[in-house]
Amino acid sequence: MTQVLLQKFQNKFVLLFCLVYSLSFAQDLTTYQEKYKSYSEVILQEFEDIYFTLNKGKINVSSKHYEEILILEDKSRISATESIYNSDFVIIKNFEAFTINNISGKNVKIPHGKVIDKRLERDNIFDSDTRLKHIFYNNLQVGSKKILKYELNLKDPFLLHRFTFQNYYPAFHKKIRLIVDPGIQIGYLLTNTENYTLDFKTYKEKNKTVYQWEAKDLPIISSEEFSPSSSKVLPHINYYIKSYESS
């Protein structure tokens, strides 16, 4: 008898938890829909970790990326794909992509669909080796989340990329960390950030030095037909290696 009552209580607790979770999920979705009324998607989180390692006088750079995108409107306006830039100098080590749908108060993980690799074609660029890995997501609907994780190996440590803190589409939370081995000196340049609030801190993680910049809820930048190039408008950081111990 006691076991039957306990089982009933557990079932009711699970149902109550699912109901509360579903209500919370619906409230969060409504909040973002009201906040970004004219947009079909919002980047909830975009995190990037850049690792600078030194081994026997040789420097290596690799990175880990995480993106979480929430679908706000119907399928007709959303993108069913996300892409990873790569080249002969930027190698994709691995990636994971999937859709998360909330079904009856539970997060259900749905594997990605097909993957297509294409060379990036740009005007006025001859024989570019830049490629795009297009990843297609399945079962997207309002409230779905597109999750993308990947790791890169940067073969030339002196050809590094920039990180933007906001773009022409909404991003709620962005963070970049530079994780640096002893013996390496890095430099960085913040551009177009004067009117934005960025949280910066540096700290030790084991024997490494970590430089971290974080941006939350920055205003969206409007894109105009004759606006300057993105590098002159978007708030971003360029980072580079100043020096390192060769032996």
Side-chain angles (χ1 to χ4, degrees):
M1 183 67 177
T2 302
Q3 187 173 359
V4 172
L5 290 174
L6 179 61
Q7 184 64 47
K8 287 182 177 180
F9 174 78
Q10 289 175 339
N11 292 340
K12 288 181 179 180
F13 178 80
V14 170
L15 289 172
L16 179 61
F17 176 82
C18 291
L19 177 61
V20 171
Y21 185 87
S22 296
L23 290 173
S24 175
F25 174 82
Q27 289 173 350
D28 289 343
L29 176 60
T30 300
T31 299
Y32 286 115
Q33 287 173 327
E34 291 177 352
K35 186 177 182 65
Y36 305 110
K37 288 183 179 179
S38 59
Y39 295 91
S40 57
E41 302 178 347
V42 57
I43 299 175
L44 294 181
Q45 299 180 37
E46 182 179 340
F47 300 153
E48 187 170 316
D49 287 348
I50 315 295
Y51 297 86
F52 298 82
T53 58
L54 192 61
N55 184 17
K56 297 180 180 179
K58 183 180 180 181
I59 194 165
N60 295 289
V61 182
S62 61
S63 61
K64 292 183 179 180
H65 304 253
Y66 174 82
E67 294 179 8
E68 180 179 328
I69 300 173
L70 176 65
I71 305 301
L72 302 175
E73 292 192 357
D74 61 77
K75 285 186 177 181
S76 62
R77 295 186 57 194
I78 65 175
S79 171
T81 65
E82 294 297 326
S83 301
I84 305 175
Y85 285 82
N86 62 103
S87 69
D88 293 341
F89 296 98
V90 181
I91 310 299
I92 300 174
K93 294 170 62 177
N94 56 67
F95 76 93
E96 181 183 10
F98 52 90
T99 303
I100 291 181
N101 283 335
N102 184 270
I103 301 174
S104 301
K106 295 182 179 180
N107 282 335
V108 178
K109 182 177 175 180
I110 302 166
H112 68 78
K114 63 182 178 180
V115 176
I116 298 177
D117 292 290
K118 287 187 176 182
R119 176 171 292 189
L120 178 64
E121 296 182 0
R122 291 176 175 171
D123 294 337
N124 302 321
I125 296 182
F126 177 73
D127 196 26
S128 170
D129 75 331
T130 303
R131 297 179 292 273
L132 285 175
K133 183 177 289 292
H134 296 289
I135 303 165
F136 288 77
Y137 289 82
N138 291 323
N139 295 53
L140 292 177
Q141 58 192 24
V142 174
S144 294
K145 291 181 180 179
K146 295 186 291 186
I147 308 296
L148 177 60
K149 306 176 185 179
Y150 60 95
E151 297 183 31
L152 301 175
N153 181 26
L154 309 177
K155 294 183 68 175
D156 189 335
F158 296 98
L159 289 178
L160 303 178
H161 300 278
R162 68 180 183 180
F163 180 87
T164 59
F165 295 102
Q166 188 56 290
N167 215 311
Y168 300 121
Y169 44 84
F172 185 75
H173 184 191
K174 285 199 170 191
K175 180 171 66 176
I176 180 173
R177 298 196 309 162
L178 309 180
I179 303 159
V180 186
D181 267 7
I184 302 175
Q185 297 295 321
I186 64 159
Y188 55 86
L189 177 65
L190 292 166
T191 305
N192 306 323
T193 60
E194 298 82 3
N195 299 320
Y196 301 93
T197 301
L198 302 178
D199 292 327
F200 170 72
K201 63 180 179 180
T202 182
Y203 57 94
K204 291 289 184 180
E205 192 171 88
K206 296 182 179 179
N207 68 328
K208 303 177 185 293
T209 303
V210 180
Y211 303 84
Q212 176 179 301
W213 291 265
E214 193 167 12
K216 290 185 178 180
D217 202 16
L218 295 187
I220 303 167
I221 299 168
S222 61
S223 176
E224 300 178 0
E225 185 177 359
F226 300 105
S227 62
S229 64
S230 61
S231 63
K232 297 181 178 179
V233 177
L234 301 181
H236 64 274
I237 181 172
N238 290 96
Y239 46 90
Y240 54 93
I241 298 167
K242 294 173 68 175
S243 63
Y244 64 99
E245 297 176 1
S246 58
S247 59

